[in-house]
Amino acid sequence: MILEFSIENFQVYSTEVKFNLEADLRTKKFRSNVIASQQGNILKTAAIYGPNNTGKTCLMNAFRAYQAVLLNKPIKFRSNLFTDSDAFSLGAVFLWNGKRYEYFFRYDTKLRIFIEEGFSHIYLDRYGNKSKELFFYRNTENKSAVSGSDKLKEAIKLSSKDNILINTLDAAEFPLLQEAREALKGFAENVTVLSMQSLPPYKTIEMLKTPESPEAKQIIELIKKSDLDIDDFKYDERFSEGVLFEADEETERARGLQHLEKAADVFKLTSIHKGKALPSIIFDSLGTKKIVSLAGYLVECLNKGGCLLIDELDSGIHFKLSRAIVSVFNSSLNDRAQMIFSTHDASLLDIKTLFRKEQIWFTDKVEDEVYLYSLSDFTAENSGIRADSDLYERYAKGFLGALPDPSLIDVLIDIHGGEQNE
């Protein structure tokens, strides 16, 4: 799981920002919101607020780019448009198999080469003191290489710039590289990045195909409790056979999905309303369909562990349901799953009953500079914000920044003024 993530010169971010997900246990409140470990105390959830176009989605894209590099997938992201540099840097501190690691890379989007990368094992003793063991470092610009293994150091000097070391060298020949590869691949495979704007139900379908499994039963219960009118929900292999119905816009979009076999599966998702089986894609609301699509990921993450990142969690979802999802991840019963999400739902701005201060983050933009900062930066001394403060009131008044000022009434005045002058 993630302890810290850093971004520099990536999309809207120019100067370096750090997204810190390590809890300060000197604060005793909501200890259940933290997975405690000697090697790092991980916040189970984090909410990111901010106006449109201030970096929330770009933060999610940075996680996607980091994961893509580790899993040897194509890089489809670019550096910041408003700086002279074509290179961006991404880095993470994370826990894997009880160990704390740090890995970063710098990638040139124009030359399509990796300029720099480094991997370290960080150890915290019982008093919180840190020591670092550098496994490897390379800089292809000045052709430098550093490693605790002389053999690996020599191999690094001859390695390709087109990919990172764990994807270019035979890790079996180098114990340090092998440990790095296992940690980085394992970590990346346990990170899932979603957007509620374009989330197909394939994960949920896959899990519902084994209806007797505990996961399938959990998904069904989640869906039933999320909708007042659904008596039951299932994947019915034979449901769509011979069924004729008019295709609405939503149906046409489903038919146009990239994988036709998967698209056909969507029509087999069946919701039971007052004893009548109906195709979910046609008769259920947009919000219910989004919950159906999200349910598989929620259940999988909570059961297996890992990190789930969701862009615009509240999109189409009732505010009480968003809160319930956050509460499940914050629960003392969750000891392996982490959820990071962006949202505009101000009802979740709650440090009285839901969040620790360091779990709430904001993005903001001043001219061309994008900022990322935590509510924990606002102390009782410098802002008057305490554990029992009403955050919604302060946020609405702009005391926390990250607040748009549409002034839509001015638009109407201009429109009416223009009409009168015609």
Side-chain angles (χ1 to χ4, degrees):
M1 285 182 281
I2 300 166
L3 289 163
E4 184 180 271
F5 193 70
S6 59
I7 309 168
E8 185 175 5
N9 208 45
F10 180 86
Q11 294 189 342
V12 300
Y13 294 98
S14 53
T15 56
E16 185 183 42
V17 297
K18 291 191 176 182
F19 184 43
N20 185 6
L21 296 163
E22 188 163 10
D24 182 353
L25 291 190
R26 290 176 297 181
T27 301
K28 306 300 182 184
K29 191 173 183 180
F30 298 139
R31 291 290 291 268
S32 66
N33 293 17
V34 179
I35 299 174
S37 160
Q38 184 180 320
Q39 296 307 310
N41 301 306
I42 302 169
L43 294 170
K44 294 179 182 179
T45 60
I48 307 161
Y49 287 86
N52 295 327
N53 206 30
T54 58
K56 298 187 300 297
T57 297
C58 290
L59 176 61
M60 298 297 173
N61 287 340
F63 279 105
R64 283 194 180 94
Y66 190 82
Q67 180 188 43
V69 168
L70 299 187
L71 297 179
N72 201 19
K73 294 181 179 180
I75 300 173
K76 301 177 181 179
F77 304 93
R78 61 168 301 116
S79 60
N80 186 281
L81 290 170
F82 302 101
T83 62
D84 295 331
S85 175
D86 294 308
F88 67 80
S89 298
L90 300 175
V93 179
F94 62 95
L95 289 189
W96 179 253
N97 285 344
K99 290 185 176 182
R100 183 183 181 115
Y101 295 106
E102 180 179 24
Y103 176 74
F104 80 95
F105 65 82
R106 186 156 57 100
Y107 178 74
D108 190 310
T109 59
K110 186 176 182 179
L111 299 177
R112 297 184 180 181
I113 61 170
F114 287 87
I115 301 170
E116 192 178 16
E117 66 173 312
F119 181 90
S120 301
H121 173 210
I122 301 173
Y123 178 76
L124 271 66
D125 66 19
R126 58 187 297 185
Y127 304 106
N129 300 312
K130 294 180 183 178
S131 58
K132 180 184 289 190
E133 178 186 6
L134 179 65
F135 278 31
F136 60 79
Y137 168 82
R138 71 162 172 170
N139 187 313
T140 58
E141 283 184 324
N142 59 26
K143 299 181 181 179
S144 64
V146 181
S147 177
S149 163
D150 291 337
K151 184 179 177 182
L152 177 56
K153 180 179 176 180
E154 292 305 311
I156 290 172
K157 293 178 181 178
L158 303 173
S159 62
S160 169
K161 302 177 184 180
D162 298 338
N163 212 325
I164 59 175
L165 292 175
I166 63 168
N167 293 328
T168 56
L169 297 178
D170 183 359
E173 295 185 19
F174 311 100
L176 292 179
L177 189 63
Q178 180 66 28
E179 182 175 339
R181 188 179 192 279
E182 290 175 358
L184 291 170
K185 295 285 187 183
F187 166 69
E189 288 168 357
N190 280 271
V191 171
T192 302
V193 188
L194 307 175
S195 171
M196 291 298 287
Q197 296 300 315
S198 56
L199 184 60
Y202 301 149
K203 173 64 70 174
T204 296
I205 290 171
E206 174 190 326
M207 298 170 78
L208 288 179
K209 285 183 177 181
T210 53
E212 298 305 315
S213 69
E215 292 79 12
K217 293 177 180 178
Q218 289 170 334
I219 287 172
I220 292 167
E221 284 303 307
L222 192 159
I223 294 170
K224 286 165 61 177
K225 290 182 178 181
S226 301
D227 191 301
L228 297 175
D229 194 43
I230 290 181
D231 303 321
D232 203 358
F233 195 91
K234 61 183 177 178
Y235 172 85
D236 190 338
E237 182 69 41
R238 297 172 295 176
F239 182 72
S240 63
E241 292 180 4
V243 175
L244 297 176
F245 44 78
E246 292 185 12
D248 60 6
E249 185 179 350
E250 187 74 25
T251 305
E252 291 297 342
R253 280 201 296 270
R255 286 176 174 167
L257 294 174
Q258 185 176 2
H259 303 290
L260 295 180
E261 185 176 340
K262 286 185 175 182
D265 271 346
V266 175
F267 293 94
K268 298 172 184 177
L269 287 174
T270 309
S271 54
I272 314 300
H273 296 261
K274 298 179 181 178
K276 187 173 182 63
L278 301 170
S280 175
I281 191 172
I282 297 200
F283 290 95
D284 285 331
S285 70
L286 177 62
T288 295
K289 282 183 275 194
K290 287 196 173 188
I291 282 296
V292 169
S293 297
L294 183 60
Y297 292 101
L298 294 174
V299 168
E300 182 180 68
C301 187
L302 287 165
N303 283 327
K304 294 184 178 180
C307 182
L308 183 62
L309 296 106
I310 307 173
D311 195 15
E312 298 196 24
L313 172 65
D314 56 309
S315 177
I317 294 180
H318 192 276
F319 74 92
K320 282 197 172 183
L321 187 52
S322 299
R323 188 183 185 93
I325 291 170
V326 174
S327 296
V328 166
F329 275 82
N330 277 343
S331 165
S332 59
L333 297 176
N334 170 31
D335 61 359
R336 66 188 70 187
Q338 184 181 38
M339 182 176 70
I340 300 164
F341 62 96
S342 67
T343 182
H344 293 286
D345 184 355
S347 71
L348 297 178
L349 277 170
D350 178 4
I351 55 174
K352 295 180 182 179
T353 63
L354 188 63
F355 283 125
R356 297 165 62 92
K357 286 177 69 175
E358 66 260 47
Q359 290 179 278
I360 298 176
W361 286 74
F362 302 95
T363 60
D364 205 354
K365 189 174 185 179
V366 179
E367 296 181 349
D368 292 333
E369 193 72 36
V370 173
Y371 298 91
L372 178 68
Y373 55 93
S374 169
L375 181 64
S376 61
D377 295 334
F378 296 84
T379 65
E381 291 74 21
N382 67 25
S383 68
I385 293 178
R386 295 175 172 80
D388 58 350
S389 294
D390 184 340
L391 291 185
Y392 177 79
E393 180 183 358
R394 283 170 167 77
Y395 185 56
K397 290 181 177 179
F399 292 161
L400 304 177
L403 189 68
D405 183 16
S407 299
L408 296 182
I409 191 67
D410 294 337
V411 176
L412 291 175
I413 291 171
D414 289 343
I415 290 172
H416 286 293
E419 290 175 350
Q420 292 171 1
N421 293 329
E422 288 179 358

